[in-house]
């Protein structure tokens, strides 16, 4: 088991390892000592696999509560489901000293975190990520949100969890495609911060050591969150590598292209564009695209750039007339470049 301390407006531990789920209840009781009740938020794909064990562990620790089960998938990350969850929390008479637990992927974690942030002006929540993407990214750092009809994550709050428990056994039950999605974010961390991790992924492919690689990604995330918790123009923005184009691809495809696959395409395009503009070491585009392909991830889209521009420019990271784009210099080192609309168009065009 690997423990990582996150220091933000609230400090907490991320624990990663095999067979940790049975310890969930005891950790919840230790971290939220006044808690008597809980709601376990999960989805209909995860509940039959891991819901029973999580409930059992929480109840064995002396906590009373029920599961709240959402249909799986991004389409559930709505304000309507947030209200229904809050109603269920009032229905179960949760108080400010009780806690809620998110067992699942990014949708479950984001929605649960937002419910925790607003319920009675804020209660504790615990993240139990069961997808690779949630383990390396969304469960750590305190960004919580639901989607609005106008776009993803438009209603949200910064609210750090009390604890993150990642039982790597849960990843073994992931559908292959969902695991592949998470690999796109792992590759993103390697391009951003760590040429050693990049080489390891080139060597091992999808058989990379789970615990160590997830922990390494969480450490990188921990470091940028510690420096720029509220994503206020500092280092946290680096995590958007590939994401400006990714969000546009997701929107233009009506979310039929998953987040991970869109991030893979976005990363590949930015690397090719950086190569063509002589902004990065010449090996970068080739190695990044080869690694994405080795993991079964796409590196191209047939959506025309003209259609992608509008959602790219309305992306919430667009500050004034310029957009901050994360561009690689070499494997393990990226920087932010400010571009106006025209520069962005020509840059992306070079990478498509
Ligand atoms: Mg992402």
């Amino acid at each position: 088991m690997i423990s990582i301390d996150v220091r933000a407006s609230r400090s907490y531990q991320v624990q990663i390892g095999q067979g940790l789920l049975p310890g969930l209840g005891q950790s919840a009781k230790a971290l939220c000592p006044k808690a008597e009740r809980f709601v376990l938020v999960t989805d209909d794909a995860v509940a039959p696999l891991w819901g029973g064990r999580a409930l059992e562990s929480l109840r064995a620790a002396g906590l009373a509560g029920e599961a709240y089960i959402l249909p799986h998938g991004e389409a559930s990350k709505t304000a309507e489901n947030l209200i229904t969850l809050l109603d269920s929390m009032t229905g179960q008479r949760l108080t400010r000293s009780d806690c809620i637990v998110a067992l699942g992927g990014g949708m479950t974690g984001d929605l649960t975190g937002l419910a925790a942030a607003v319920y009675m002006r804020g209660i504790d929540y615990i993240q139990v990520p069961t997808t690779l993407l949630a383990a390396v990214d969304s469960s750590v750092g305190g960004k919580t949100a639901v989607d609005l009809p106008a776009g993803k994550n438009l209603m949200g709050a910064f609210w750090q969890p009390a604890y993150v428990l990642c039982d790597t056994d849960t990843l073994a039950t992931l559908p292959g495609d969902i695991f592949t999605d998470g690999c796109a974010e792992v590759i993103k961390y390697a391009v951003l911060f760590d040429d050693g991790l990049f080489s390891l992924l080139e060597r091992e492919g999808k058989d990379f050591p789970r615990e160590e690689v997830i922990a390494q990604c969480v450490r990188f995330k921990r470091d940028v969150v510690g420096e720029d918790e509220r994503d206020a123009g500092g280092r946290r923005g680096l995590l958007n590598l590939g994401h400006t184009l990714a969000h546009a691809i997701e929107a233009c495809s009506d979310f039929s292209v998953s987040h991970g696959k869109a991030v893979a395409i976005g990363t590949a395009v930015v690397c090719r564009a950086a190569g063509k503009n002589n902004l990065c070491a010449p090996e970068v585009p080739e190695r990044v695209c080869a690694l994405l392909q080795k993991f079964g991830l796409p590196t191209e889209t047939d959506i025309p750039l003209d259609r992608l521009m509008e959602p790219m420019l309305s992306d919430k990271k667009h500050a004034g007339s310029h957009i901050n784009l994360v561009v690689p210099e070499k494997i393990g080192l990226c920087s932010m470049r400010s571009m106006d609309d025209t520069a962005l168009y020509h840059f992306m065009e070079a990478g498509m």
Side-chain angles (χ1 to χ4, degrees):
M1 196 247 304
I2 301 175
S3 286
I4 296 163
D5 289 310
V6 180
R7 291 187 202 294
S9 50
R10 160 178 209 159
S11 296
Y12 51 97
Q13 260 194 353
V14 181
Q15 294 190 318
I16 302 147
Q18 275 193 293
L20 297 183
L21 191 57
L24 169 65
Q26 286 203 328
S27 299
K29 199 65 200 160
L31 292 159
C32 317
K34 289 187 184 161
E36 290 174 2
R37 311 190 65 83
F38 69 87
V39 170
L40 175 74
V41 187
T42 188
D43 71 38
D44 58 5
V46 175
L49 296 168
W50 303 101
R53 259 169 272 197
L55 278 176
E56 206 175 289
S57 168
L58 289 160
R59 287 172 181 159
L63 295 160
E66 301 292 333
Y68 177 85
I69 302 171
L70 293 151
H72 67 278
E74 181 75 16
S76 285
K77 219 173 96 173
T78 61
E80 291 75 20
N81 282 336
L82 172 70
I83 300 290
T84 319
L85 169 58
L86 294 168
D87 283 340
S88 153
M89 290 159 67
T90 55
Q92 295 193 49
R93 303 187 318 280
L94 258 66
T95 68
R96 289 200 62 196
S97 51
D98 291 324
C99 72
I100 56 177
V101 180
L103 173 75
M107 178 279 288
T108 303
D110 284 7
L111 184 136
T112 305
L114 184 56
V118 299
Y119 187 73
M120 297 186 176
R121 301 198 181 88
I123 66 167
D124 284 341
Y125 74 113
I126 293 172
Q127 290 273 17
V128 186
T130 62
T131 67
L132 179 62
L133 196 143
V136 298
D137 189 19
S138 59
S139 68
V140 179
K143 277 192 181 177
T144 76
V146 294
D147 302 333
L148 294 179
K152 271 185 79 166
N153 297 332
L154 290 180
M155 176 179 179
F158 288 95
W159 190 246
Q160 301 290 340
Y163 173 53
V164 182
L165 178 154
C166 173
D167 184 338
T168 51
D169 287 341
T170 62
L171 304 179
T173 56
L174 274 184
D177 205 42
I178 309 273
F179 184 78
T180 303
D181 268 356
C183 293
E185 297 280 2
V186 174
I187 292 170
K188 179 195 79 175
Y189 282 107
V191 177
L192 279 171
F193 301 118
D194 193 344
D195 60 342
L197 175 59
F198 195 94
S199 306
L200 180 145
L201 296 170
E202 285 180 323
R203 257 192 337 267
E204 307 285 336
K206 284 188 182 174
D207 296 324
F208 63 81
R210 303 290 186 255
E211 200 171 308
E212 289 77 9
V213 167
I214 292 170
Q216 193 55 23
C217 295
V218 169
R219 284 188 201 102
F220 290 127
K221 180 134 194 197
R222 182 263 318 264
D223 291 344
V224 295
V225 167
E227 288 174 43
D228 177 25
E229 180 173 350
R230 297 181 74 92
D231 202 0
R235 280 178 61 77
R236 191 163 183 168
L238 287 171
L239 300 179
N240 289 321
L241 174 63
H243 278 59
T244 303
L245 190 65
H247 291 150
I249 292 170
E250 289 179 83
C252 286
S253 72
D254 269 328
F255 296 92
S256 64
V257 179
S258 66
H259 182 66
K261 293 184 186 65
V263 168
I265 298 165
T267 305
V269 169
V270 166
C271 288
R272 283 195 296 261
K276 290 222 170 113
N277 284 282
N278 297 316
L279 298 173
C280 67
E283 52 152 24
V284 169
E286 204 178 308
R287 278 182 79 193
V288 171
C289 291
L291 185 59
L292 291 166
Q293 282 157 5
K294 184 183 172 93
F295 276 76
L297 286 158
T299 56
E300 281 169 12
T301 177
D302 44 24
I303 304 170
L305 182 57
D306 290 310
R307 270 188 66 207
L308 294 166
M309 279 308 285
E310 197 200 301
M312 257 197 286
L313 296 173
S314 66
D315 197 71
K316 64 186 184 306
K317 274 111 196 171
H318 193 211
S321 60
H322 284 65
I323 198 158
N324 274 325
L325 203 68
V326 184
V327 178
E329 293 180 26
K330 58 182 184 178
I331 303 289
L333 182 70
C334 296
S335 56
M336 281 192 257
R337 283 178 175 261
S338 172
M339 294 185 193
D340 65 18
D341 299 5
T342 318
L344 179 71
Y345 184 91
H346 290 303
F347 184 81
M348 288 295 181
E349 196 180 28
M352 302 278 283

